[in-house]
């Protein structure tokens, strides 16, 4: 480990960067990578939960209600874990990047203030919804879940708005390098807001849908072919499958916006050393000594995708002043992350079409083992694509924290040994992750025991013993 860190520090020192920059970047990448896993469950999993609740009430479907109740327990656990990891991220913003918060906090902090309001709203209604099972009438209880979904969307949009502002800053007036005026609406609804937020929300629905469907696909591969498992697969998979083609379209629009307004990031995505027309789309490969190596070129592909013409001029890395030009290693990372993200996106689109055709032929949940295996791994692939997307937007912005206004080396703290801070954070997250895994396994064990008692009906919300009081029919009878 020491030789690797020594070499890394030498590279950063040669570039004129403070020694704290490397551990600060690594810590931020690790904690954000952990937290981003939980975001789809706060945004989209709660929607799946509410959708299943709605189906259960409208169709008097006991299996759907049971799934909704169990998913609500999972969402409560993951919400609590997300609150912990999100709090750590909030502290890191101030401790690791005082240059950002000190100079642009008046603008950058505004979206986070809005996110805080959504967080508290979500926390309140998560508690009401969880506590309300068996204690409230069915439809009023259902409606208490709607603010949970809306607050999750609003909170995510607020955080992404802050990130979008870092890519395309606006809504501020600078005087002698200091912010003297802030226009909050322009900060929040900045130039990159619309496509970044929509891209992230669709990604969240894809990740949550494919992960949840994958869990039940794995169960079906182990012989659990009950209606409960088929319903647990088909509803979240359908939501993810609907989001996937929309994501492909939004991703295409987002890439073209990056081409127009973030040429440096687009040059890194395309791994393009020099400005040119008829630029090929390069699949794979690496950047070595300022040149592309080992990739597979699709003639004029990048120019066609950027401006619908082979003669479209694409600005390369040579247009970036040398002092602001990203090194070869970062260009390679951005390029490969983009390739992986797009490749997985089209693979999930193909899986969605395969599932739709299989469903259309049988008018039932497909039980083809190879299709179920593909669904079982689709959630992991969607999560990898989400990580890669954040690598593209974060690493692709380097060496800037706020593009054109603040370099990352000027934003980082210059005090203390951050490696020790990183080690402590790592231990905390290992403990939180292990605890989360243990709690989810405990829930699964309790559910398995419940299914063995009275065929699973004992845990059904609004079940036969409660139907007369709550006014809802069940799978086996009519309510009042």
């Amino acid at each position: 480990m020491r030789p690797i860190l020594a070499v890394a520090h030498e590279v950063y020192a040669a570039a004129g960067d403070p020694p704290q920059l490397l551990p600060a970047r690594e810590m931020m990448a690790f904690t954000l990578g952990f937290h981003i896993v939980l975001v789809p469950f706060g945004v989209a999993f709660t929607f799946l939960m509410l959708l299943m609740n709605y189906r259960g009430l409208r169709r008097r479907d006991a299996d759907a209600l049971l799934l909704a109740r169990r998913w609500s327990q999972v969402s409560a656990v993951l919400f609590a874990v997300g609150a912990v990891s999100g709090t750590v991220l909030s502290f890191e913003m101030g401790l690791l990047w005082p240059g950002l918060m000190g100079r642009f906090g008046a603008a950058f902090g505004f979206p986070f203030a809005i996110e805080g309001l959504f967080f508290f709203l979500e926390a309140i209604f998560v508690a009401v919804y969880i506590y309300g099972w068996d204690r409230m009438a069915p439809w009023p209880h259902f409606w208490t879940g709607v603010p949970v979904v809306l607050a999750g969307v609003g909170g995510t949009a607020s955080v992404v708005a802050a990130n979008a502002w870092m890519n395309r800053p606006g809504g501020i007036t600078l005087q002698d390098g200091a912010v003297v005026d802030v226009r909050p609406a322009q900060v929040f609804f900045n130039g990159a807001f619309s496509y970044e937020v929509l891209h992230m929300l669709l990604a969240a629905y894809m990740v949550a849908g494919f992960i949840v469907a994958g869990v039940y696909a794995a169960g079906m591969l182990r012989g659990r072919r009950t209606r409960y498992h088929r319903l647990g697969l088909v509803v979240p998979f359908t939501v993810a499958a609907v989001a996937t083609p929309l994501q492909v379209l939004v991703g295409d629009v987002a890439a073209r916006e990056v081409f127009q307004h973030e040429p440096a990031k687009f040059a890194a995505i395309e791994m393009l050393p020099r400005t040119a027309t008829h630029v090929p789309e390069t699949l794979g490969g690496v950047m070595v000594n300022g040149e592309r190596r080992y990739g597979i070129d699709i003639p004029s592909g990048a120019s066609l995708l950027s401006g619908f013409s082979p003669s479209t001029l694409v600005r390369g890395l040579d247009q970036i002043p040398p002092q602001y030009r990203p090194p070869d290693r970062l260009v390679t990372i951005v390029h490969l992350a983009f390739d992986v993200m797009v490749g997985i996106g089209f693979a999930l689109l193909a899986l969605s079409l395969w599932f739709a055709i299989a469903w259309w032929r049988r008018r039932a949940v497909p039980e083809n083992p190879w299709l179920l295996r593909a669904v079982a791994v689709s959630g992991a692939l969607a999560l990898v694509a989400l990580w890669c997307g954040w690598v593209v937007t974060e690493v692709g912005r380097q060496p800037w924290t706020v593009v054109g206004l603040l370099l990352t080396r000027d934003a980082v703290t210059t005090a203390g040994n951050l490696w020790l801070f990183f080690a402590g954070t790592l231990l905390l997250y290992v403990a939180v992750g292990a605890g989360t895994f243990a709690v989810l396994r405990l829930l699964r064990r309790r559910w398995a025991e419940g299914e063995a008692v009275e065929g699973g009906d004992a845990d059904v919300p609004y079940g036969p013993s409660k139907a007369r009081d709550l006014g809802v029919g069940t799978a086996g009878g009519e309510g009042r």
Side-chain angles (χ1 to χ4, degrees):
M1 178 65 72
R2 284 184 59 83
I4 296 176
L5 291 178
V7 170
H9 277 298
E10 290 176 4
V11 171
Y12 275 75
D17 296 330
Q20 288 84 358
L21 184 55
L22 178 60
R25 275 178 165 166
E26 296 299 317
M27 191 188 317
M28 201 72 190
F30 170 75
T31 50
L32 180 59
F34 184 99
H35 184 71
I36 202 68
V37 177
L38 302 168
V39 172
F41 289 90
V43 177
F45 185 53
T46 52
F47 172 78
L48 298 176
M49 167 195 78
L50 207 61
L51 185 63
M52 201 64 80
N53 192 345
Y54 180 82
R55 177 189 177 97
L57 293 176
R58 290 289 294 180
R59 301 191 180 186
R60 304 173 186 270
D61 188 334
D63 287 326
L65 286 173
L66 182 56
L67 282 165
R69 180 170 192 165
R70 291 178 174 179
W71 290 358
S72 70
Q73 294 169 2
V74 173
S75 69
V77 172
L78 297 181
F79 178 83
V81 177
V84 172
S85 61
T87 300
V88 173
L89 278 170
S90 299
F91 279 110
E92 285 181 352
M93 292 302 298
L95 293 173
L96 299 181
W97 312 105
L100 170 64
M101 303 310 295
R103 186 175 177 187
F104 295 107
F108 184 71
F110 174 72
F112 283 106
I114 301 299
E115 190 273 339
L117 298 177
F118 281 118
F119 172 79
F120 284 116
L121 181 67
E122 185 177 7
I124 291 169
F125 280 95
V126 162
V128 172
Y129 185 82
I130 299 298
Y131 186 78
W133 286 109
D134 302 336
R135 293 179 175 86
M136 297 177 63
W139 282 109
H141 173 251
F142 166 83
W143 288 109
T144 64
V146 173
V148 176
V149 176
L150 296 179
V153 171
T156 299
S158 300
V159 173
V160 177
N163 182 269
W165 182 85
M166 296 164 75
N167 291 322
R168 294 178 60 181
I172 60 174
T173 301
L174 295 176
Q175 183 175 328
D176 298 327
V179 176
V180 296
D181 180 58
V182 177
R183 296 172 291 282
Q186 293 180 28
V187 169
F188 196 94
F189 299 105
N190 54 78
F193 173 84
S194 58
Y195 59 85
E196 281 201 23
V197 168
L198 190 54
H199 199 49
M200 180 60 206
L201 290 176
L202 288 171
Y205 277 86
M206 289 176 63
V207 171
F210 283 124
I211 286 179
V212 175
V215 169
Y216 292 93
M220 292 181 67
L221 287 169
R222 294 174 182 172
R224 300 168 186 162
R225 303 295 176 95
T226 63
R227 182 179 180 278
Y228 172 88
H229 284 84
R230 292 196 298 271
L231 189 61
L233 185 156
V234 72
V235 171
F237 188 91
T238 300
V239 171
V242 170
T244 300
L246 297 176
Q247 181 71 305
V248 172
L249 294 175
V250 171
D252 179 67
V253 171
R256 201 163 292 112
E257 287 289 321
V258 171
F259 164 72
Q260 293 287 347
H261 302 286
E262 300 179 66
K265 181 182 292 186
F266 193 81
I269 288 173
E270 297 298 339
M271 205 165 60
L272 182 63
R274 286 174 292 278
T275 302
T277 59
H278 298 80
V279 175
E281 183 69 33
T282 303
L283 306 180
V286 296
M287 182 74 83
V288 179
N289 296 325
E291 298 293 336
R292 290 182 294 195
R293 296 285 187 270
Y294 314 118
I296 300 173
D297 288 344
I298 301 175
S300 300
S303 290
L304 282 168
L305 291 173
S306 301
F308 306 107
S309 171
S311 60
T312 300
L313 182 72
V314 181
R315 287 169 284 185
L317 295 168
D318 61 334
Q319 295 292 304
I320 305 172
Q323 67 270 30
Y324 303 135
R325 193 174 301 161
D328 289 351
R329 67 182 186 279
L330 293 188
V331 173
T332 299
I333 289 171
V334 172
H335 172 72
L336 293 179
F338 184 81
D339 281 0
V340 171
M341 177 184 67
V342 173
I344 290 176
F346 278 101
L348 294 176
L349 179 62
L351 174 61
S352 302
L353 292 174
W354 183 11
F355 192 93
I357 292 171
W359 173 276
W360 178 75
R361 287 178 174 176
R362 296 188 60 217
R363 295 297 193 276
V365 178
E367 297 187 4
N368 181 318
W370 285 107
L371 178 55
L372 291 177
R373 290 187 186 103
V375 174
V377 301
S378 63
L381 292 176
L383 183 57
V384 170
L386 178 65
W387 277 327
C388 288
W390 275 97
V391 167
V392 171
T393 194
E394 296 298 303
V395 180
R397 188 172 60 240
Q398 299 306 312
W400 299 99
T401 293
V402 181
V403 175
L405 298 178
L406 180 65
L407 291 167
T408 305
R409 66 169 178 257
D410 296 330
V412 72
T413 182
T414 56
N417 185 347
L418 295 188
W419 288 114
L420 295 177
F421 188 21
F422 188 11
T425 304
L426 183 63
L427 291 175
L428 171 64
Y429 274 62
V430 169
V432 170
T436 304
F437 182 74
V439 170
L440 294 179
R441 280 184 60 86
L442 177 61
L443 285 176
R444 180 179 178 276
R445 189 179 303 117
R446 286 178 55 192
W447 296 341
E449 292 170 355
E451 289 173 0
V453 178
E454 299 182 17
D457 291 337
D459 195 31
V460 177
Y462 320 133
S465 63
K466 306 176 183 71
R468 290 188 301 273
D469 297 328
L470 300 180
V472 62
T474 67
E478 296 290 333
R480 287 188 299 186

